[in-house]
């Protein structure tokens, strides 16, 4: 058996290593870390505590189980109104489309056909008084019909990442095809609280609609969310929210609160009595007392790549890091005790900003741009280069061996 050339023996493991590096690294599914702060028990059947900006879940009790949303549906209704009508002083004239919603037992402001309210007044009626007929009239104003509006609701829900939500009306009245989850409602409220007008309206403890063209008396509206309303249950830092109740849904509640630099979304579904308020308060206290949000830096030391919500005694430096590459995308995953906390992405090729300095500050600090190509290209180029080197070595060795072979002497012919 022929012995391998020493150089080839060195190159073979090197080539194998290059091929191995091209194998993508798998990322494990998210689970709560072992040392995660102990969460309180809640009476509601399902619930979630989520940080609004990051979507990071801090507490989960059946958050993806399908439930009836009741009037928490109106968060999406109000969001779409605000996203599609710029002038909140626009006057809305009520039509007979509201008649079915005025039946006894429905939540209304007793609007009358022909009555006129501004869009802003309609939004207060929806979020504070939970007026079903106002939702229906505004759905027609925005989309031309309730069915068109619910199609917009479902499309917007999908855009927000809702996976188990389907709307068939704008007010939340029970229907087998009208459902959602605590997780999906949290995503919807997180989008809504990014709108200042939504927070101003939904976060108001009270509002008065003055007399209209068909009503001589003012309508005094009070927020049914005890965490927003003034009183013993008021929660410090509360931003917005919405209550809900039907016989099918029981009591539901979505609320947002902000302290320091962290906005928390709490959703609880299907409870009795005041449990929705006490459970939400307990979950907010759990979140604000046990967690903090910190910036995470990747390639730019001035601008964070993202934010991570961590237990109070844990810093971003404690996070484990894994990277995974595709032909045009690099994904970096930050994990804490095996639980995924944050994912950040960068397109390839990408520019990385690095700060360059010199001793004694003799040279001004600047920023150098480094072009990083696709991670797939580098191994391929290295393999091609290695193959070319091997071929070159083989050619050289063959040439050397051929040169060492004894040359046959030509016999001279004798004439």
């Amino acid at each position: 058996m022929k012995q391998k050339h020493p150089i080839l023996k060195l190159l073979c493991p090197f080539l194998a290593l290059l091929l191995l590096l091209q194998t993508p690294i798998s990322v494990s599914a998210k689970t709560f870390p072992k040392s995660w702060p102990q969460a309180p028990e809640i009476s509601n059947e399902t619930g979630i505590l989520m940080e609004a900006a990051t979507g990071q879940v801090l507490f989960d009790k059946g958050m993806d189980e399908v439930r009836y949303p009741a009037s928490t549906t109106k968060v999406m209704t109000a969001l779409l109104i605000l996203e599609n009508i710029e002038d909140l002083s626009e006057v809305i004239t009520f039509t007979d489309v509201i008649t079915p919603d005025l039946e006894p037992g429905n939540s209304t402001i007793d609007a009358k056909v022909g009555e006129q309210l501004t869009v802003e007044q309609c939004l207060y009626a929806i979020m504070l008084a939970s007026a079903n007929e106002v939702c229906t009239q505004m759905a027609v104003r925005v989309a031309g019909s309730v069915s068109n509006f619910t199609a917009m609701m479902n499309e917007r829900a999908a855009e927000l990442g809702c996976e188990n939500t389907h709307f068939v009306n704008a007010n939340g009245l029970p229907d087998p095809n009208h459902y959602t989850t605590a997780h999906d409602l949290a995503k919807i409220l997180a989008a809504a609280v990014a709108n200042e007008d939504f927070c101003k309206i939904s976060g108001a403890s009270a509002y008065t609609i003055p007399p209209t063209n068909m009503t001589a008396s003012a309508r005094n509206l009070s927020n049914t969310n005890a965490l927003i309303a003034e009183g013993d249950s008021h929660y410090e830092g509360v931003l917005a929210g919405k209550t809900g109740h039907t016989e099918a849904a029981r009591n539901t509640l979505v609320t947002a609160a902000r302290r320091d630099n962290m906005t928390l979304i709490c959703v609880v579904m299907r409870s009795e009595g005041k449990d929705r308020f006490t459970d939400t308060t307990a979950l907010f206290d759990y979140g604000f007392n046990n967690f903090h949000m910190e910036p995470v830096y990747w390639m730019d030391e001035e601008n964070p790549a993202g934010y991570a919500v961590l237990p109070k005694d844990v810093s971003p430096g404690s996070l484990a890091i894994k990277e995974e590459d595709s032909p045009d995308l690099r994904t970096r995953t930050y994990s804490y005790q095996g639980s995924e906390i944050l994912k950040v992405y960068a397109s390839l090729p990408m520019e990385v900003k690095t700060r360059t300095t010199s001793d004694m500050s003799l040279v001004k600090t600047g920023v150098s741009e480094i072009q990083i190509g696709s991670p797939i290209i580098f191994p391929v180029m290295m393999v091609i280069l290695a193959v070319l080197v091997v071929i070159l070595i083989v050619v050289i060795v063959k040439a050397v061996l051929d040169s060492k072979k004894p040359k046959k002497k030509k016999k001279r012919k004798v004439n």
Side-chain angles (χ1 to χ4, degrees):
M1 180 183 291
K2 293 182 179 180
Q3 294 294 320
K4 290 183 179 179
H5 193 279
I7 296 179
L8 292 178
K9 289 182 178 180
L10 293 174
L11 285 174
C12 288
F14 176 68
L15 290 172
L17 178 61
L18 287 175
L19 293 172
L20 182 62
L21 290 174
Q22 295 182 75
T23 304
I25 300 171
S26 60
V27 180
S28 59
K30 180 187 181 303
T31 55
F32 285 116
K34 294 180 181 178
S35 63
W36 208 243
Q38 183 64 42
E41 296 288 336
I42 65 170
S43 300
N44 284 260
E45 287 189 11
T46 65
I48 183 176
L49 184 68
M50 184 185 87
E51 200 286 315
T54 63
Q56 188 174 329
V57 176
L58 307 180
F59 169 86
D60 164 24
K61 181 182 179 182
M63 66 180 185
D64 292 316
E65 294 179 12
V66 172
R67 292 285 187 272
Y68 288 124
S71 287
T72 56
T73 298
K74 289 161 182 161
V75 173
M76 176 63 88
T77 300
L79 177 60
L80 286 181
I81 293 169
L82 288 166
E83 289 180 341
N84 288 276
I85 302 178
E86 293 184 5
D87 183 9
L88 300 188
S89 64
E90 177 187 331
V91 175
I92 303 297
T93 301
F94 285 81
T95 66
D96 57 6
V97 72
I98 68 173
T99 304
D101 292 323
L102 297 175
E103 294 179 0
N106 274 359
S107 179
T108 77
I109 59 166
D110 293 321
K112 297 173 173 54
V113 175
E115 187 169 11
Q116 294 181 327
L117 297 176
T118 66
V119 171
E120 183 177 39
Q121 291 167 348
C122 288
L123 284 166
Y124 277 105
I126 290 170
M127 295 307 296
L128 272 62
S130 206
N132 290 335
E133 82 277 27
V134 180
C135 293
T136 299
Q137 188 64 63
M138 290 306 300
V140 173
R141 160 59 185 86
V142 171
S145 68
V146 173
S147 60
N148 288 344
F149 188 79
T150 57
M152 291 176 63
M153 295 171 75
N154 291 322
E155 182 179 357
R156 190 71 174 98
E159 290 174 356
L160 295 174
C162 300
E163 298 180 353
N164 299 290
T165 292
H166 189 262
F167 298 115
V168 297
N169 58 58
N171 47 38
L173 289 175
D175 187 286
N177 293 314
H178 190 95
Y179 54 83
T180 188
T181 66
H183 197 182
D184 285 355
L185 281 177
K187 294 175 182 178
I188 294 169
L189 185 58
V193 295
N195 186 298
E196 292 183 7
D197 287 324
F198 178 86
C199 290
K200 182 187 76 171
I201 294 168
S202 178
S205 60
Y207 182 78
T208 297
I209 298 177
T212 69
N213 62 318
M214 298 187 71
T215 305
S217 302
R219 294 180 174 95
N220 296 314
L221 313 180
S222 298
N223 203 317
T224 54
N225 187 337
L227 279 70
I228 296 174
E230 298 297 332
D232 295 338
S233 298
H234 180 81
Y235 195 83
E236 181 186 352
V238 68
L239 292 175
K242 185 72 188 75
T243 58
H245 173 83
T246 63
E247 287 301 316
R250 308 309 301 158
N251 291 330
T252 61
L253 179 66
V254 298
T255 316
R258 183 172 180 82
R259 289 184 184 175
D260 298 325
N261 67 333
M262 190 164 62
T263 299
L264 298 182
I265 304 291
C266 184
V267 179
V268 289
M269 304 185 76
R270 198 166 177 80
S271 68
E272 303 296 335
K274 296 182 178 180
D275 287 345
R276 55 181 168 175
F277 301 121
T278 55
D279 282 353
T280 297
T281 297
L283 287 175
F284 275 149
D285 286 343
Y286 164 72
F288 288 121
N289 294 337
N290 290 283
F291 297 92
H292 64 138
M293 189 164 74
E294 293 292 332
V296 175
Y297 297 90
W298 185 5
M299 297 168 291
D300 188 339
E301 295 180 359
E302 296 179 354
N303 301 308
Y307 291 84
V309 182
L310 301 166
K312 283 282 177 78
D313 58 345
V314 177
S315 68
S318 304
L319 300 177
I321 299 173
K322 289 184 179 180
E323 289 187 354
E324 185 176 10
D325 298 323
S326 64
D328 57 356
L329 189 70
R330 176 167 294 172
T331 303
R332 174 173 278 204
T333 303
Y334 295 86
S335 300
Y336 174 59
Q337 295 183 347
S339 176
E340 181 183 307
I341 298 296
L342 172 67
K343 273 189 177 182
V344 293
Y345 306 89
S347 298
L348 297 171
M350 60 187 174
E351 292 183 352
V352 180
K353 293 183 178 180
T354 59
R355 186 169 296 279
T356 57
T357 60
S358 64
D359 294 340
M360 306 300 291
S361 297
L362 295 176
V363 180
K364 291 182 179 180
T365 299
V367 175
S368 59
E369 303 289 339
I370 303 175
Q371 292 286 342
I372 297 183
S374 168
I376 303 299
I377 294 175
F378 283 120
V380 171
M381 290 179 64
M382 291 298 292
V383 170
I384 293 173
L385 181 61
V387 171
L388 292 174
V389 170
V390 171
I391 294 172
L392 181 61
I393 291 172
V394 171
V395 171
I396 293 173
V397 170
K398 187 176 183 303
V400 171
L401 294 176
D402 288 344
S403 66
K404 290 183 178 181
K405 288 181 179 179
K407 295 182 179 179
K408 295 181 179 179
K409 293 183 180 180
K410 293 182 179 179
K411 295 183 179 179
R412 291 182 180 180
K413 290 183 180 181
V414 180
N415 293 329

